[in-house]
Amino acid sequence: MSDTQTNKTWGGRFTESTDAFVAAFTASVEFDRRMYRQDIDGSIAHARMLARVGVLTPEDCEAVVRGLEEIRADIERGAFEWSVDREDVHMNIEARLTERIGDAGKRLHTGRSRNDQVATDIRLYLRDAIDAILAELKRLQSGLAELAMREADTIMPGFTHLQVAQPVTFGHHLLAWFEMLKRDCERMIDCRKRVNVMPLGAAALAGTSYPLDRHYTAQLLDFDAPCANSLDAVSDRDFAIEFAADAAILMTHLSRMAEELVLWSSAQFDFVDLPDRFCTGSSIMPQKKNPDVPELVRGKVGRVNGHLIALLTLMKSQPLAYNKDNQEDKEPLFDTVDTVRGCLRAFADMVPALHPKRSNMLRAARRGFATATDLADYLVRKGVPFRDAHEVVGRAVRLGVETSRDLADMTLAELQQFSPLIENDVFEVLTLEGSVAARDVLGGTAPNRVKEAAAKAQAWVAALR
Ligand code: ARG
């Protein structure tokens, strides 16, 4: 035992106590205590493995396991006193364990360091977080696929440059969102593979002289494998960076959906009604119903992008192996997890409850010459080269602009002044229904294609584990 005055577990070689400010400055318990469950699971697996290879007696192992389970219960009912003096979640739990069970508690840290311990905790934590995110994503995607099936025949204007371009179906638009989220889901599943590798056994940096069975520990903790290199295992946080990057892309997608919901729920578009329970009013303007939830989701992309940059910058130029810098990985990571989960939950609740205003969408599609391309295609079918057809229709549109009418509102005689090839059958292609039905190609907006795609989307979601 040390004869110094320090109050730290590692205080043996110190001759004075840590400065009070430095203790608080270097402590992480305020935020890393949220990993208590993973820390306890990791310690229990480590203890069982130590007992299996004969480093810990079965009695000590049982005392450790029981003690840790009691501590877990204490934490869960709010009866655990966290101490900043004990620096982090790891030392808080270990010190309490030793208070409870005596020397067996001090033997738990054999063949282990906080460096491989914390790296393990973060990976376990992130694995759980990814699973929770995937569950919310699945809920949102299933809501989207169902809504898309219901709205496969609903016609709305499709936009490029936010100018009316061609008519599309609302279901088609919703399935575009679905595709974006499908890739996000695949990215998360892929990221999970690189998260699910176990640092334990790397010890401080070089491995350990105890005969650890790392495969056994990995198996107990449901890791796919132990990390192959101890220096790498304790030092890299690339899995967290990868998660943050995937999260940033996902949030970017949510922000695009959010932006469209904000536009569509405005009086100018008036395409959808958001349920009142997802909106708020104004304290001064009685008529207001603000789309707060989509706006907030749109805004929250900022912090997630910031966290990605924080993690990248934190890792940059770090020499091997563990450095205290890495303690700074947790807050950005945790906030990314909380933000993504919250945004997905809000959207998964809100999207299926959207109320589409079909007649407004249809009316909007009738304005803006959405079928101009169809008229050009009609002329092409009659032998006119596309570039000439484009020119002819452009002139017809100009007349429409000048007289405030859509192409379908003109008489046959009026249309024929632009091309004698135009006949009475032109009015079929100028209808919105005809226009969308004609986009009958794989991936196109024709209602039958959209129904097919929605069914495929539903099956894809159902096959997720
Ligand atoms: N709180 C530390 C962290 O978050 C735990 C590891 C500390 N290791 C050390 N050698 N100081 O990274």
Side-chain angles (χ1 to χ4, degrees), residues 26 28 31-32 87-88 90 113-115 118 237 322-324 326-330:
T26 54
S28 53
F31 48 84
D32 65 17
E87 206 175 313
D88 54 28
H90 325 293
S113 151
R114 272 187 296 153
N115 297 350
V118 69
R237 298 292 183 262
Y322 175 85
N323 300 285
K324 185 75 166 177
N326 284 339
Q327 182 166 293
E328 286 286 304
D329 63 356
K330 287 167 206 63

Side-chain angles (χ1 to χ4, degrees), residues 154-157 264 266-273 356-367:
T154 306
I155 289 173
M156 69 182 287
W264 292 349
S266 70
Q268 286 66 32
F269 277 82
D270 205 15
F271 286 0
V272 297
D273 208 12
K357 297 181 157 177
R358 300 193 181 102
S359 54
N360 290 352
M361 291 188 192
L362 188 67
R363 201 171 319 119
R366 284 213 186 94
R367 290 192 305 261

Side-chain angles (χ1 to χ4, degrees), residues 282-293:
S282 158
S283 53
I284 173 167
M285 298 164 282
Q287 84 282 13
K288 291 291 290 268
K289 174 174 154 184
N290 296 327
D292 286 43
V293 169

Side-chain angles (χ1 to χ4, degrees), residues 29-89:
V29 65
E30 288 308 331
F31 48 84
D32 65 17
R33 52 193 262 195
R34 81 146 81 182
M35 303 192 300
Y36 76 88
R37 210 177 299 126
Q38 291 78 15
D39 194 68
I40 289 174
D41 287 343
S43 289
I44 289 178
H46 181 66
R48 290 206 194 283
M49 180 278 297
L50 288 179
R52 182 178 162 102
V53 300
V55 172
L56 207 59
T57 64
E59 297 74 41
D60 280 353
C61 175
E62 279 326 301
V64 164
V65 172
R66 211 172 326 112
L68 286 171
E69 289 298 4
E70 282 164 18
I71 288 172
R72 189 201 307 266
D74 281 354
I75 295 172
E76 269 156 20
R77 58 189 167 83
F80 188 92
E81 222 175 283
W82 297 98
S83 146
V84 173
D85 275 334
R86 287 176 175 168
E87 206 175 313
D88 54 28
V89 62

